Amino acid sequence: MSGAESDDDRTFKDLNVVELLHKFWEDKQVKNVMETESLVVYESIPSPSPPFICYVTLPGGSCFGNFKYCYSKAEARRDAARIAFMNSTFNELPCRRITPEFISCSVKEAVSTTSGNITDASDPSTSIGAYCLMLELNTGRTMLEFQEIMTVFQLLHWNGSLKAFREMRCSRQEVILYYSQQRLNERTRSHMALDWLQKERQSPGLLSQELQVAVKELGEARRAGRELRFYKEKKEILSLALSHANAEDLEGYHSEEMCWREGTEFEYREKSMDGKHSQFYSQGSVSDEESVE
């Protein structure tokens, strides 16, 4: 897939963008005393022939992929680094940091595109209020950092957990305050994979269908140059669930699932609000037809 090169393409071709990206985050780590296991992580998707695909994950979890049709793994790696470097440097601009002024403008914009009211901003039980609370909790952070936190809530919505929390009568404020402090890790992925295994029992073939959709969405988002963490996490969670579904008969998998849940169950969290206790733990199979709240 050939075509005229843009000025940006020619500029980056003359630079070692992989090294630039590493140096950018290395300097940022020293400046902010960041604690990360690895600064920048690359993942090349195995393929015998073009197009080659590469993903790059930044400290904190933001993920980008190569935008162009790449004829080699090295080219895909450079292009993924180029997209990540452009987003990393753009993210440092003052306009990309959450400030009181930014929150005010964002809330007003949200109100103008919904049926909400500006007075709802002070009420976390409303959609506008929940959005305002999330922004306020992240004051001072950049938009990439905010997106990393939002990915957790996107996955909770997709997985059906937000609806389950509502049915447990957990308030939006409680859920937001708790999950704003949580990071995506293997335990989170394992619980979500177990939830999808339960859904597979109820609707055989669902996992394969959902995985096909997730792979398609990931490809479209990558070619559009978008941040990919949410799409990539969905694909990996569904792949994990499908690998267990294929490895063992689902009916005979019940006992192992119980051991897995007992061994990796989320720590019981109980906190009091107005005399009422709420609990947060892994959810079972529920529908994912709810709004992000």
Side-chain angles (χ1 to χ4, degrees), residues 11-291:
T11 299
F12 277 102
K13 180 175 288 187
D14 296 331
L15 300 174
N16 186 338
V17 71
V18 173
E19 184 177 326
L20 282 175
L21 180 63
H22 181 84
K23 185 67 166 59
F24 174 89
W25 283 100
E26 186 177 53
D27 292 344
K28 195 173 179 65
Q29 180 187 44
V30 172
K31 180 180 179 181
N32 299 335
V33 195
M34 297 168 59
E35 296 182 3
T36 55
E37 295 180 1
S38 180
L39 284 177
V40 179
V41 178
Y42 292 90
E43 178 188 353
S44 295
I45 305 302
S47 176
S49 60
F52 290 97
I53 299 172
C54 181
Y55 298 106
V56 55
T57 301
L58 304 176
S62 294
C63 179
F64 298 92
N66 55 298
F67 175 80
K68 300 189 301 183
Y69 186 105
C70 296
Y71 291 90
S72 70
K73 292 181 180 179
E75 182 185 7
R77 182 185 176 95
R78 288 193 299 270
D79 195 50
R82 177 176 67 91
I83 299 298
F85 181 70
M86 292 172 65
N87 278 275
S88 295
T89 53
F90 178 64
N91 191 57
E92 293 299 300
L93 296 176
C95 64
R96 298 291 291 174
R97 195 166 292 276
I98 298 176
T99 63
E101 294 76 15
F102 177 89
I103 294 174
S104 178
C105 291
S106 297
V107 171
K108 289 178 181 178
E109 182 179 349
V111 169
S112 67
T113 57
T114 65
S115 57
N117 190 291
I118 193 64
T119 57
D120 293 339
S122 59
D123 183 2
S125 67
T126 65
S127 296
I128 295 296
Y131 176 57
C132 183
L133 175 61
M134 291 190 68
L135 288 172
E136 290 174 345
L137 289 174
N138 290 280
T139 299
R141 292 183 174 177
T142 65
M143 289 307 297
L144 265 188
E145 291 171 328
F146 181 61
Q147 179 58 47
E148 290 160 6
I149 295 173
M150 281 299 296
T151 298
V152 175
F153 290 94
Q154 286 179 291
L155 288 171
L156 289 173
H157 163 59
W158 165 71
N159 197 53
S161 297
L162 291 182
K163 180 177 181 180
F165 287 138
R166 288 203 305 272
E167 292 173 348
M168 293 166 57
R169 299 186 182 280
C170 296
S171 71
R172 291 175 177 174
Q173 185 176 19
E174 290 173 319
V175 174
I176 290 172
L177 290 174
Y178 178 69
Y179 278 100
S180 291
Q181 306 301 319
Q182 305 304 307
R183 295 178 62 88
L184 285 174
N185 51 33
E186 291 306 316
R187 176 188 290 179
T188 307
R189 297 184 188 96
S190 295
H191 280 290
M192 290 192 175
L194 284 172
D195 289 339
W196 281 99
L197 274 173
Q198 292 181 349
K199 295 178 183 182
E200 174 73 9
R201 290 194 183 95
Q202 297 176 354
S203 303
L206 177 64
L207 276 176
S208 295
Q209 296 174 11
E210 289 290 333
L211 183 56
Q212 289 178 8
V213 172
V215 170
K216 180 181 178 181
E217 291 178 345
L218 177 59
E220 292 174 345
R222 177 180 59 80
R223 289 187 292 273
R226 299 172 63 181
E227 200 277 323
L228 304 174
R229 180 78 182 277
F230 171 60
Y231 305 99
K232 194 166 181 290
E233 289 287 351
K234 282 204 305 183
K235 173 180 172 293
E236 292 179 355
I237 290 168
L238 291 169
S239 296
L240 176 61
L242 189 60
S243 68
H244 282 282
N246 291 337
E248 303 184 33
D249 179 81
L250 287 176
E251 183 176 346
Y253 187 75
H254 178 71
S255 60
E256 180 178 339
E257 176 191 347
M258 290 301 99
C259 292
W260 190 4
R261 280 195 180 278
E262 292 171 1
T264 63
E265 192 67 48
F266 278 125
E267 286 89 352
Y268 178 90
R269 175 184 172 97
E270 180 177 77
K271 59 183 187 176
S272 177
M273 178 171 290
D274 296 330
K276 185 181 74 173
H277 294 289
S278 63
Q279 304 166 354
F280 296 94
Y281 46 84
S282 177
Q283 300 303 307
S285 174
V286 292
S287 169
D288 58 355
E289 298 178 354
E290 78 271 12
S291 60

